[in-house]
Amino acid sequence: MANPFQIYQFLPKTNCKECGEKTCMAFAVKLISQEAKIEQCPYLEEDKKKEIETIVKPFEGAEKTGLVIHDELCTGCGNCVVACPVNVANDPHGVATGRGSKNEKLILQVKDGTVHACDIENCRRFVKPRVLCDVCVVLCPKKAIEFP
Amino acid sequence: MELICNGCSCLCDDVEIIGNEIAHACRKGAEFIRRYKTNRLASPTINGERVELDYAVKSAAEIIKKAKNPAVLGMGSSMLDAQRSAVELGEKIKATVDDFSTHAGVCRGILEREIKTCTLDEVKDNADVIVYWASDASNSHPRHLSRFTYLPRGKNRQKGFEERDAICIDVRESSTIEVCRQFHIIPPMKDGELMKCIMEALDGKVPKSSFLGSKEIIELSNKLKKAEYGVIFTGAGLDGSARVNELKEFMNKLNAVSNFHMIPMAEQCNTRGFSQVLHERKYERTSFKEALAKGKIDAALVLCFDPISEMPLSLSRSLSKIQTVVIDSYKTPMTELSKVAIPCAVNGIEAGGEVIRMDGVKFGINKIYEKDGSIEEKEIMKMLMDLI
């Protein structure tokens, strides 16, 4: 999973502020969250630009709801449901303690033996400021959850 | 209404049926509840021919009475009442009683208070080091990690998995290894050797192992040593390669420097309950497979279990040659091969009762749906007992 440091190493690191951001690091963060464009940096060389583009490209498709659940792989273990930070914040005494819950604000829920995305618009990846959270992907034993 | 799922020995008590939807249950539990009507055993049969229930029970009683060396098998998914009467019957006819459990030794050690144990709720509240030894919980007990051990937030572990270490020791890269932060892959049947190496490392010696580096074992033993509240979940693979005495020695050694508990990952919903029943009645579990291989068994009563899918072909052949009575809800290879087959209501769905979770906590299960015509297992057992 890409992080701002990977992009930062290709940037000029001069903090010239010409892109509109205070530092090159801040620019790297904005690039990942799709809030800035590579062209805003005037000092980038072509090869470095291409490197950054390959890092940022997977996130272009994740504009709204890029979550993919492979139904045939999912065992309904609920690891993603219990680990999701938004689920925990919305239902600290239910889902956070491992129990099933009827809370309507849950992003992921287990229904009929498999995980279903419910309130995906509130996922940390889609609400500003965007956070590249991938807890559900990392803790899935079957690799049934994917963000393109 | 919240109900208890008895698809495995996690006995999740937060499952709900809302309309046609089964909420919060894992795939295993949801399918167990949804498909309870498929592949059912329709009516009592003798040699594959339909007969009346009374006649079938009478023939079953005769087979058991005539047998010189009978056996009583299965009972892993039976309710406690049925298990008690089955063990009572076993005592009466001096039968070989076996449930094919791979946790018999650990359960016995726990019940005799030689191995320290705790409940799954205590694990959730306190555990900081969780070891899955020879167990692939993500497949066998899908909700185990998310509901009781690694992921949930407990009283003293408010950050959930961020505050816990999950260590997996297995012979292959299982699904559980994908979730656990650390894992050690060891060759089959080497669990006893690994225990010895860890004990040496705990003593401050440099362990020598044929399959793991000394540094890796020392790191593992240091992690176990530093645990505030550790739990080892023993899987089916451990019982075969490490003897119970080795396990007890290992736990005693570990508990001298740390605080470790052991819970067996019982396979079926009431496997732990059966161990408890045997312990209560002080009846010994004897190996059915060994007795069958030696040709010592001449009849078997099988309760809600399919030994054919658990045994090697040679033993299955021997089993098909002896007279068998099966009480089961579903059609299995065993019911097809048996002399007498008697259908019963599905335990946990059409019939309620008491079950014991893998950590020894007793639960009362209510039936979910009304049964259509079939009789409960405990009633059939009672009819059999009266005749014998």
Side-chain angles (χ1 to χ4, degrees):
Chain A
M1 192 53 67
N3 62 53
F5 290 101
Q6 275 172 290
I7 294 175
Y8 180 70
Q9 61 176 325
F10 297 111
L11 293 176
K13 306 183 189 80
T14 50
N15 299 340
C16 65
K17 300 184 181 64
E18 283 187 40
C19 60
E21 299 302 326
K22 284 181 182 171
T23 60
C24 286
M25 191 65 199
F27 182 58
V29 173
K30 288 275 166 83
L31 276 179
I32 281 202
S33 61
Q34 304 281 306
E35 288 171 59
K37 287 190 172 163
I38 305 170
E39 291 75 33
Q40 283 174 247
C41 177
Y43 305 110
L44 263 183
E45 290 160 19
E46 271 308 306
D47 55 333
K48 288 185 177 172
K49 215 178 214 175
K50 273 183 188 168
E51 291 280 356
I52 295 173
E53 270 173 359
T54 50
I55 297 170
V56 175
K57 209 175 179 196
F59 304 110
E60 283 172 6
E63 191 65 43
K64 280 181 187 163
T65 52
L67 177 81
V68 180
I69 297 171
H70 298 284
D71 209 34
E72 70 285 2
L73 293 176
C74 180
T75 55
C77 67
N79 284 6
C80 50
V81 180
V82 180
C84 173
V86 182
N87 274 7
V88 172
N90 286 336
D91 194 5
H93 300 292
V95 158
T97 62
R99 289 187 72 83
S101 168
K102 276 188 273 186
N103 194 316
E104 285 172 5
K105 285 182 179 173
L106 299 183
I107 289 174
L108 295 160
Q109 275 196 55
V110 180
K111 289 175 189 170
D112 280 336
T114 48
V115 156
H116 293 263
C118 301
D119 193 14
I120 196 72
E121 284 78 15
N122 281 326
C123 174
R124 287 163 91 191
R125 296 172 77 102
F126 309 122
V127 175
K128 283 181 184 178
R130 284 184 187 159
V131 179
L132 276 177
C133 172
D134 62 349
V135 177
C136 50
V137 179
V138 171
L139 290 172
C140 180
K142 295 285 177 186
K143 300 285 161 251
I145 300 185
E146 223 179 22
F147 282 105
Chain B
M1 186 190 75
E2 287 190 349
L3 50 98
I4 298 174
C5 160
N6 65 338
C8 71
S9 60
C10 281
L11 297 179
C12 298
D13 56 355
D14 57 349
V15 176
E16 281 180 274
I17 298 177
I18 308 160
N20 287 329
E21 191 182 276
I22 300 163
H24 317 315
C26 65
R27 192 168 213 147
K28 203 174 171 180
E31 295 300 307
F32 177 72
I33 297 169
R34 193 190 295 129
R35 299 190 186 209
Y36 80 101
K37 275 188 178 171
T38 49
N39 198 32
R40 290 290 291 273
L41 202 59
S43 64
T45 54
I46 294 179
N47 291 329
E49 281 174 28
R50 288 184 171 205
V51 288
E52 286 297 312
L53 177 72
D54 293 337
Y55 182 59
V57 175
K58 213 173 167 185
S59 319
E62 266 168 33
I63 290 171
I64 297 164
K65 265 195 275 184
K66 272 183 197 166
K68 283 177 186 165
N69 296 306
V72 183
L73 306 176
M75 296 159 278
S77 54
S78 304
M79 300 286 135
L80 278 180
D81 291 335
Q83 286 182 344
R84 281 196 191 106
S85 36
V87 174
E88 202 180 317
L89 179 73
E91 273 175 10
K92 214 172 189 177
I93 57 176
K94 293 190 177 101
T96 300
V97 175
D98 196 359
D99 64 341
F100 283 48
S101 167
T102 44
H103 307 281
V106 179
C107 281
R108 204 172 154 184
I110 287 169
L111 291 167
E112 286 172 0
R113 295 179 188 275
E114 288 174 324
I115 296 176
K116 202 170 158 185
T117 190
C118 61
T119 65
L120 288 174
D121 301 303
E122 285 168 343
V123 175
K124 183 162 89 177
D125 284 342
N126 305 310
D128 63 339
V129 176
I130 294 150
V131 184
Y132 282 100
W133 198 315
S135 159
D136 183 12
S138 289
N139 283 318
S140 61
H141 303 73
R143 288 187 76 195
H144 200 261
L145 280 101
S146 68
R147 190 156 146 63
F148 302 111
T149 61
Y150 186 40
L151 298 161
R153 283 99 191 133
K155 234 177 231 171
N156 302 319
R157 301 283 161 209
Q158 293 286 330
K159 288 183 184 169
F161 71 99
E162 289 166 34
E163 275 187 283
R164 305 185 206 260
D165 277 313
I167 303 165
C168 200
I169 301 169
D170 212 336
V171 293
R172 65 180 80 84
E173 283 194 29
S174 61
S175 301
T176 314
I177 279 181
E178 295 278 345
V179 184
C180 293
R181 287 188 193 177
Q182 299 145 49
F183 61 88
H184 304 276
I185 293 182
I186 60 168
M189 311 300 278
K190 294 283 182 191
D191 305 78
E193 198 181 320
L194 180 61
M195 278 179 202
K196 268 181 203 162
C197 290
I198 293 171
M199 285 194 279
E200 279 174 19
L202 289 174
D203 279 340
K205 294 175 195 161
V206 179
K208 277 179 190 164
S209 142
S210 53
F211 46 90
L212 285 183
S214 306
K215 203 181 160 192
E216 203 176 335
I217 295 172
I218 291 170
E219 272 174 20
L220 173 64
S221 64
N222 282 345
K223 194 137 268 171
L224 301 182
K225 209 174 179 176
K226 282 177 191 165
E228 284 173 27
Y229 196 103
V231 194
I232 299 176
F233 292 97
T234 60
L238 194 60
D239 205 62
S241 60
R243 286 185 207 96
V244 185
N245 290 340
E246 280 177 325
L247 264 178
K248 283 178 194 167
E249 196 190 336
F250 175 70
M251 283 301 281
N252 288 340
K253 189 94 187 168
L254 200 55
N255 273 321
V257 289
S258 186
N259 178 22
F260 260 85
H261 307 78
M262 191 171 265
I263 297 177
M265 295 288 286
E267 307 96 337
Q268 287 168 298
C269 67
N270 209 9
T271 303
R272 174 76 189 256
F274 184 68
S275 291
Q276 213 124 318
V277 169
L278 283 183
H279 187 256
E280 273 169 23
R281 302 194 70 93
K282 298 197 166 41
Y283 197 75
E284 284 291 320
R285 183 194 263 117
T286 35
S287 172
F288 171 74
K289 286 181 202 168
E290 275 176 28
L292 186 67
K294 285 175 191 165
K296 282 183 183 171
I297 305 287
D298 57 355
L301 170 66
V302 187
L303 294 165
C304 294
F305 181 60
D306 178 27
I308 303 278
S309 23
E310 298 263 336
M311 295 197 302
L313 188 62
S314 57
L315 285 179
S316 297
R317 262 195 206 120
S318 317
L319 185 64
S320 66
K321 281 172 196 159
I322 65 169
Q323 294 209 312
T324 44
V325 177
V326 186
I327 300 172
D328 206 334
S329 315
Y330 301 102
K331 271 185 205 166
T332 63
M334 189 68 242
T335 55
E336 299 296 307
L337 287 171
S338 62
K339 166 103 177 150
V340 182
I342 305 169
C344 67
V346 183
N347 288 319
I349 292 182
E350 293 174 323
E354 283 181 326
V355 282
I356 295 179
R357 197 166 67 180
M358 61 168 77
D359 57 346
V361 178
K362 201 186 270 182
F363 282 85
I365 291 187
N366 296 322
K367 59 183 173 190
I368 305 171
Y369 300 111
E370 283 301 321
K371 54 181 183 271
D372 44 355
S374 46
I375 300 173
E376 285 185 28
E377 194 187 359
K378 63 178 178 192
E379 286 168 23
I380 299 171
M381 281 308 295
K382 205 182 163 202
M383 285 162 77
L384 256 181
M385 289 286 282
D386 290 343
L387 288 171
I388 295 168

